[in-house]
């Protein structure tokens, strides 16, 4: 591991200086992703700013919804009674990730910013535009079984690996950010992560030195509580990232679908909204045949790579199953 300066902050007042231009500073929260990447020489910060002492760990009701502090752990968030009651999709998604020990350390902010699990990203002997811009993409013509089928570019075919963000996307969450100078802004989760384009080194639209303060769940998303489901398909039942994940949330009026959210994980550089599927569902009555037809529509524009065309059929089946579970259709 390379030498770095470690600074622990108790307030946000010094962040502007610590993250000033030219600095390659990185925040550390739970450390479950950053430290691994530093040990592998993939992340090379010259300064590590420990934010775990900042007062950003509360989960509380706010006007318009529920605020999840960026430093609340994944375990605290998944088990919070209001999350369980009003946003069970989020509980399911978090509990589908990692392991109990990791979720006890992992924070909500760090979870959103976890980096891809592309094998070549971790292997410093291989070219990787995300790790070392301009070197090429070893996965494009390499072993790309776990890679993207939507939204990739010639520069990068990686997927975003997280589970929590898929559920947050389906629930229309807002990410609250603080700039180094103290100004705050908020970004819809749908605009938080980005596609690789020709700058795959940037996973998100976060600016240098910006801090995630909280994630907010809107009241309106609680209407999905009774009819939502998170399905994760992976190589083994625990401690594995998604080959395909599906976050489904439905709002029902009688037996008619009033609102639908279908978000896929493991298929793109960001959580991927299956808008074609949602459009076919809205206004229709719950039934298995509809679910199958709507699931197929999600993959009409898929662009599989050499080793990952299996994600199309797997994804169709996963969406159908998640819709059946969410809708309580046998
Ligand atoms: C073996 C293993 C299996 C895993 N399996 C899964 C899985 O199945 N599903 C899943 O979703 N995840 C999985 N994870 C990932 C895990 O959930 C993340 O490592 C964790 O959520 C990161 O949170 P952290 O607080 O430890 O982040 P850190 O490692 O501290 O930070 C991660 C990144 O976020 C930045 N950061 C942290 N907090 C903030 C903030 N408030 N504002 C701005 N920047 C910030 C850091 O600078 C760093 O770049 C797994 C991890 C491991 C090691
Ligand atoms: S897919 Fe992206 S992360 Fe993987 S090798 Fe290519 S550039 Fe690197």
């Amino acid at each position: 591991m390379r030498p770095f300066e470690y600074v622990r902050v108790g307030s946000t007042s010094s962040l502007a200086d610590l993250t000033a231009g030219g600095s390659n500073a990185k925040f550390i929260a739970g450390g479950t992703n950053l430290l691994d990447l530093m040990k592998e020489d993939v992340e090379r910060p010259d300064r590590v700013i420990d934010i775990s002492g900042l007062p950003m760990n509360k989960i509380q009701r706010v006007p318009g919804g529920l605020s999840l502090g960026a430093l609340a752990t994944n375990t605290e968030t998944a088990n919070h009674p209001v999350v369980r009651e009003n946003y069970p999709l989020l509980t399911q998604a978090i509990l589908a990730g990692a392991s109990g020990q990791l979720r006890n350390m992992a924070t909500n902010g760090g979870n959103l910013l976890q980096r891809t699990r592309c094998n070549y990203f971790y292997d410093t002997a291989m070219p990787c535009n995300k790790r070392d811009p301009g070197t090429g993409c070893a996965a494009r013509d390499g072993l790309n079984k776990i890679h993207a089928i939507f939204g990739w570019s010639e520069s990068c075919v990686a997927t975003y690996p997280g589970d929590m963000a898929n559920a947050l996307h389906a629930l229309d969450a807002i990410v609250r950010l603080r700039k180094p100078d103290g100004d705050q802004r908020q970004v819809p989760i749908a605009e938080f992560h980005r596609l690789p384009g020709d700058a795959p080194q940037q996973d998100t639209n976060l600016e240098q030195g910006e801090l995630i303060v909280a994630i907010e769940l809107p009241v309106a998303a609680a209407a999905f509580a009774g009819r939502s489901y998170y399905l994760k398909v992976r190589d083994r039942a625990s401690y594995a990232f998604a080959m395909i994940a599906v976050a489904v949330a439905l709002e029902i009026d009688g037996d008619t679908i009033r609102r639908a959210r279908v978000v896929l994980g493991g298929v793109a550089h960001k959580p991927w909204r299956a808008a074609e599927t949602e459009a076919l569902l809205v206004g229709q009555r719950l039934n298995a045949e509809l679910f199958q037809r709507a699931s197929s529509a999600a993959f009409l524009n898929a662009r599989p790579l050499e080793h990952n065309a299996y994600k199309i059929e797997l994804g169709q089946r996963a969406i159908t199953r998640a819709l059946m579970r969410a809708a309580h259709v046998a």
Side-chain angles (χ1 to χ4, degrees):
M1 201 192 276
R2 295 172 193 237
F4 60 90
E5 180 193 3
Y6 172 84
V7 188
R8 185 172 160 84
V9 290
S11 81
T12 50
S13 58
S14 53
L15 291 185
D17 288 340
L18 290 170
T19 59
S23 144
N24 186 23
K26 277 271 177 191
F27 297 128
I28 189 165
T32 61
N33 192 219
L34 182 66
L35 286 179
D36 279 357
L37 291 166
M38 287 171 66
K39 286 187 235 169
E40 299 288 342
D41 201 29
V42 175
E43 294 273 17
R44 301 155 192 163
D46 50 25
R47 177 179 290 151
V48 171
I49 305 169
D50 185 344
I51 57 170
S52 60
L54 294 179
M56 306 194 307
N57 61 351
K58 288 205 167 48
I59 298 176
Q60 56 192 345
R61 289 188 195 272
V62 290
L66 185 71
S67 171
L68 312 171
L71 288 171
T73 66
N74 282 181
T75 298
E76 288 160 348
T77 306
N79 292 331
H80 193 278
V82 181
V83 177
R84 280 189 175 271
E85 169 95 16
N86 292 346
Y87 309 102
L89 182 68
L90 182 58
T91 296
Q92 286 183 356
I94 293 174
L95 296 183
S99 66
Q101 292 99 323
L102 279 160
R103 294 192 297 267
N104 289 343
M105 284 302 291
T107 64
N108 293 331
N111 192 299
L112 284 189
L113 292 173
Q114 64 178 287
R115 307 212 67 191
T116 186
R117 293 282 159 170
C118 170
N119 298 333
Y120 301 107
F121 177 64
Y122 274 80
D123 184 348
T124 53
M126 300 300 287
C128 171
N129 288 323
K130 187 180 278 298
R131 173 178 18 86
D132 295 311
T135 55
C137 172
R140 175 67 183 87
D141 296 312
L143 293 174
N144 44 39
K145 175 184 161 193
I146 63 168
H147 292 75
I149 57 171
F150 291 112
W152 52 266
S153 70
E154 290 300 328
S155 297
C156 179
V157 295
T159 55
Y160 171 73
D163 288 294
M164 190 179 87
N166 302 326
L168 292 174
H169 199 115
L171 298 171
D172 299 325
I174 300 283
V175 187
R176 197 168 280 285
L177 304 173
R178 181 194 183 281
K179 297 184 184 207
D181 64 7
D183 281 356
Q184 296 222 0
R185 67 176 179 126
Q186 50 185 47
V187 178
I189 186 77
E191 294 164 26
F192 184 77
H193 295 97
R194 59 187 296 285
L195 292 178
D198 56 8
Q201 67 276 19
Q202 283 173 248
D203 295 343
T204 69
N205 289 314
L206 207 65
E207 291 165 16
Q208 169 63 21
E210 255 184 326
L211 193 63
I212 302 176
V213 175
I215 301 159
E216 286 179 15
L217 295 168
V219 170
F224 293 128
R227 308 269 184 165
S228 60
Y229 196 76
Y230 191 78
L231 179 66
K232 178 172 175 178
V233 184
R234 46 190 154 173
D235 272 336
R236 44 169 205 262
S238 152
Y239 229 43
F241 290 88
M243 295 154 88
I244 290 270
V246 187
V248 163
L250 303 173
E251 186 181 343
I252 306 296
D253 189 357
D255 65 351
T256 301
I257 302 170
R258 186 207 289 256
R259 281 198 299 159
R261 295 282 186 277
V262 179
V263 178
L264 299 173
V267 297
H269 200 257
K270 58 186 285 188
W272 191 261
R273 183 114 174 234
E276 302 87 348
T277 301
E278 294 176 5
L280 286 173
L281 293 171
V282 172
Q284 304 299 315
R285 292 196 163 157
L286 303 171
N287 74 79
E289 186 277 325
L290 167 70
F291 293 162
Q292 266 181 358
R293 203 159 28 89
S295 303
S296 301
F299 295 90
L300 291 176
N301 298 316
R303 287 191 302 145
L305 303 162
E306 188 179 352
H307 303 291
N308 67 5
Y310 75 94
K311 288 194 180 189
I312 295 179
E313 186 177 350
L314 185 65
Q316 288 169 346
R317 288 169 183 252
I319 297 178
T320 304
R321 190 163 141 210
L323 283 167
M324 307 256 288
R325 291 287 179 96
H328 312 298
V329 170

